[in-house]
Amino acid sequence: MTLGDIITQTAQKYPDNLAVVCRNSGVRYTYNEFNKRINRLANALKKLGIRKGERLAVIQHNSIEYIEIFFAAFKAGIAVVPLDHRMKGGELSFILNNSEATAVFIGIEYADIINSIQQELNFTKYLISLEHSIEGMQNYQELINSSSSAESDFDVNEKDLATLCYTSGTTGRPKGVMMLHKNLLAATTSCVQALPVKPDDITLHTSPFSHIASSWPLLTHCYTGGANIIIERFVPSVVLDAIEEEKVTTWNSVPTMIQRLIEEPEVHKRDYSNLRWVAYGASPMPVETLKRAISIFGNRFIQVYGLTETYLLTLLPIEDHILEGKKHKTKRLSSCGRSLVNCQVRVVNDDGKDVKPGQVGEIIAKGNSITNGYLKLPKETSETIKDGWFYTGDMASVDNEAYIYIIGRRKDIIISGGENISPREVEEIIYKFPSILEAAVIGVPDEKWGEAVCAVVVLRQGKKASEKEIIDYCKLNLASYKAPKLIQFTDRLPKTASGKILKRELRERYLQ
């Protein structure tokens, strides 16, 4: 089986099930209609001259066309390179050349930036406009209209490259993560079992399709025959409208989105009765934010943990989000859960041995959903994948019941006066301070301590707080050596498209 078979088989089993809805355009397709459009595009790619094993890139906000490109490429054996639409010209030209993308599908908003780097692209032969006719580009809808909707016999197998997603660059220049059809199929079936997902589910996509925060729910719901509700960009009021009007049953989000949603004035007035679960991941969820979210939406939350290179590895289910009664365990809210059934997850020390409860080590994982490595980077691949185990770079501890507690990236751990300090532990305390909306803790150079704890904070609108007040609050709730020595106030924290705070940028900004 390959990823293209997902949409073919679902269209056969559930032809009249709603497949996709675009909230912005109002377009709605059943699986039968959707599969025919995907077949037209797959046949058009072949007619255009894009062959199996080549790569095509997409730069566009979330749209139905984005999903059509994914599945058409999967059917044709062409690998998809999703581009972060916030990237600048130099970043885009690097990825397009590194991936050797033959074609680029372009949203109208991004036509100018692609045109500006066109002369720098060494492999790109085709520029395809997704919305309007643009001089020098082929038109997407014309390609669709000019081709047959019949299933074609493309020679694709599970070991073919399916996607080439470039890491967010939190630790340096983006690396192309190679995911084969078998990797993404394993990830999909694992999610279907763990969550679970049903044919009558309706899921909402608020994260960019260039990130796994949207791609795993997309594959999972298409696999089972569920509906996919698309909004172009995350806007709190738009999300609330979609949840209520489309009777959304499942939603995968990230902590920053949930934080913005619970600040929305209308959030208490909406109907969430159809929601079965709300998953969150991509970055740690502050416990105080999670408690507020549960009080508004009810106990419908599931935490998931994974990486671009692994897809989902662990899950903290709804029953571990209980806030009251005998089953209530506050500490568990800060856990990312336990491993999914189809993968092995361990926390190991520097000698590769499993840590004991309470000790800190690195999360490593093995399974069919794990990447084969990084494109054209054999050294980085061998440093990350050792004896079949993928070393995540995430530091964590475990408890007696095998729950995993992430404390931060290996490179984010602060060493001050010889003591290891977890940024997340400090952030959890800062989030309890009433005036704080967002916080990120980093280490900055210090002559006396080697590194000093620095907290970069965003205040709630209309609220005030002094550096001394925040530091004193931390000293009341933490060992003194863990409390920040410095507080930096800012209007916004730099983030990736998936909402992950870019601590590397913060360290560069506050180096002095």
Side-chain angles (χ1 to χ4, degrees):
M1 186 174 179
T2 65
L3 293 166
D5 295 328
I6 288 177
I7 211 76
T8 304
Q9 293 183 8
T10 301
Q12 291 170 350
K13 289 192 291 186
Y14 306 107
D16 298 324
N17 275 23
L18 189 62
V20 286
V21 175
C22 180
R23 292 282 295 179
N24 296 80
S25 66
V27 173
R28 308 168 86 89
Y29 293 130
T30 65
Y31 272 101
N32 182 48
E33 294 167 330
F34 197 43
N35 186 50
K36 287 181 178 178
R37 284 183 59 85
I38 289 166
N39 287 341
R40 287 181 182 278
L41 181 57
N43 292 325
L45 295 175
K46 183 178 181 179
K47 192 166 24 174
L48 200 59
I50 306 174
R51 299 292 177 234
K52 175 187 170 180
E54 294 186 355
R55 292 90 191 255
L56 62 81
V58 190
I59 182 165
Q60 168 71 315
H61 50 68
N62 284 2
S63 65
I64 286 178
E65 291 79 12
Y66 212 133
I67 306 176
E68 290 173 345
I69 293 165
F70 266 123
F71 281 107
F74 294 157
K75 286 194 177 194
I78 300 163
V80 181
V81 184
L83 300 171
D84 182 345
H85 59 73
R86 304 178 311 166
M87 286 179 172
K88 307 301 181 186
E91 297 170 296
L92 291 170
S93 61
F94 166 77
I95 290 175
L96 290 170
N97 285 331
N98 185 257
S99 66
E100 301 181 15
T102 302
V104 187
F105 287 78
I106 306 158
I108 188 70
E109 296 174 52
Y110 315 104
D112 287 345
I113 193 168
I114 295 298
N115 277 330
S116 72
I117 61 170
Q118 190 174 354
Q119 299 305 313
E120 302 169 26
L121 305 182
N122 301 324
F123 302 94
T124 303
K125 300 177 183 177
Y126 310 102
L127 300 180
I128 301 160
S129 169
L130 287 170
E131 291 151 296
H132 303 292
S133 295
I134 298 175
E135 187 178 351
M137 297 186 187
Q138 303 210 37
N139 181 272
Y140 180 85
Q141 194 56 49
E142 288 176 4
L143 285 177
I144 293 266
N145 294 341
S146 66
S147 298
S148 168
S149 63
E151 298 281 351
S152 293
D153 185 19
F154 293 100
D155 180 23
V156 187
N157 67 70
E158 64 172 14
K159 294 183 180 180
D160 287 331
L161 186 65
T163 62
L164 197 53
C165 294
Y166 280 74
T167 56
S168 56
T170 54
T171 57
R173 200 158 200 180
K175 302 186 289 287
V177 179
M178 297 184 290
M179 298 297 277
L180 310 183
H181 282 255
K182 72 170 186 177
N183 300 138
L184 297 184
L185 281 167
T188 300
T189 54
S190 183
C191 291
V192 168
Q193 292 176 37
L195 286 163
V197 182
K198 302 182 293 185
D200 59 352
D201 272 323
I202 301 167
T203 199
L204 176 64
H205 295 284
T206 53
S207 297
F209 284 133
S210 58
H211 191 268
I212 69 162
S214 261
S215 57
W216 76 254
L218 171 66
L219 291 172
T220 301
H221 287 78
C222 286
Y223 186 93
T224 55
N228 296 272
I229 311 301
I230 303 164
I231 58 175
E232 288 185 357
R233 293 178 177 85
F234 179 85
V235 178
S237 60
V238 173
V239 170
L240 293 175
D241 287 343
I243 289 173
E244 200 167 30
E245 294 169 11
E246 300 291 348
K247 295 180 171 49
V248 168
T249 62
T250 68
W251 174 38
N252 183 58
S253 185
V254 298
T256 52
M257 290 180 180
I258 292 173
Q259 174 74 58
R260 287 181 62 189
L261 212 59
I262 62 180
E263 298 291 328
E264 184 72 11
E266 292 287 313
V267 72
H268 295 277
K269 302 176 183 179
R270 301 306 187 100
D271 177 14
Y272 309 112
S273 58
N274 291 292
L275 271 177
R276 285 202 304 114
W277 53 256
V278 177
Y280 61 94
S283 63
M285 170 83 86
V287 172
E288 289 304 307
T289 301
L290 182 55
K291 287 179 178 179
R292 288 184 63 200
I294 292 173
S295 71
I296 294 169
F297 294 98
N299 186 22
R300 296 179 167 93
F301 287 87
I302 296 172
Q303 181 171 177
V304 294
Y305 162 70
L307 296 86
T308 304
E309 296 93 333
T310 66
Y311 274 57
L312 300 194
L313 295 174
T314 69
L315 182 146
L316 187 73
I318 290 172
E319 52 265 32
D320 283 324
H321 286 77
I322 296 171
L323 295 179
E324 301 174 335
K326 293 180 181 179
K327 295 183 179 180
H328 167 49
K329 295 182 179 180
T330 302
K331 181 172 172 28
R332 191 152 295 166
L333 294 178
S334 61
S335 169
C336 65
R338 295 186 282 196
S339 62
L340 273 62
V341 292
N342 291 334
C343 62
Q344 300 176 61
V345 182
R346 299 163 56 204
V347 180
V348 300
N349 59 25
D350 289 339
D351 296 323
K353 296 180 179 178
D354 292 344
V355 299
K356 296 177 180 178
Q359 294 179 335
V360 174
E362 183 174 356
I363 300 174
I364 65 173
K366 178 188 282 189
N368 286 333
S369 65
I370 307 295
T371 179
N372 273 23
Y374 301 110
L375 181 71
K376 302 176 183 175
L377 295 172
K379 181 174 180 290
E380 286 82 351
T381 298
S382 64
E383 289 173 348
T384 307
I385 303 174
K386 306 169 189 176
D387 298 322
W389 289 93
F390 182 87
Y391 282 69
T392 66
D394 286 322
M395 306 302 287
S397 62
V398 297
D399 64 18
N400 291 317
E401 297 178 78
Y403 284 85
I404 297 172
Y405 299 80
I406 298 173
I407 65 170
R409 297 288 294 170
R410 178 181 284 277
K411 295 181 180 181
D412 289 342
I413 300 299
I414 301 166
I415 304 175
S416 184
E419 298 283 356
N420 287 358
I421 300 170
S422 161
R424 182 172 182 186
E425 183 182 8
V426 183
E427 288 163 359
E428 290 287 0
I429 297 301
I430 294 174
Y431 268 100
K432 292 182 179 180
F433 193 86
S435 301
I436 302 294
L437 179 65
E438 289 186 305
V441 169
I442 58 174
V444 294
D446 185 90
E447 288 185 7
K448 181 178 180 180
W449 303 107
E451 278 189 303
V453 179
C454 172
V456 187
V457 302
V458 179
L459 295 178
R460 294 183 184 280
Q461 190 171 1
K463 299 292 184 180
K464 294 181 180 180
S466 69
E467 181 178 46
K468 184 177 185 303
E469 286 173 333
I470 298 171
I471 292 174
D472 287 347
Y473 181 80
C474 290
K475 286 180 176 178
L476 284 174
N477 295 279
L478 287 167
S480 60
Y481 72 89
K482 298 179 182 178
K485 301 284 193 297
L486 304 159
I487 304 292
Q488 296 287 340
F489 296 92
T490 185
D491 293 333
R492 55 181 288 277
L493 295 173
K495 298 185 180 89
T496 66
S498 64
K500 187 181 298 182
I501 295 170
L502 286 164
K503 290 192 174 181
R504 173 174 54 82
E505 277 193 26
L506 291 176
R507 281 191 288 268
E508 291 171 359
R509 184 186 302 178
Y510 298 109
L511 191 63
Q512 304 303 320

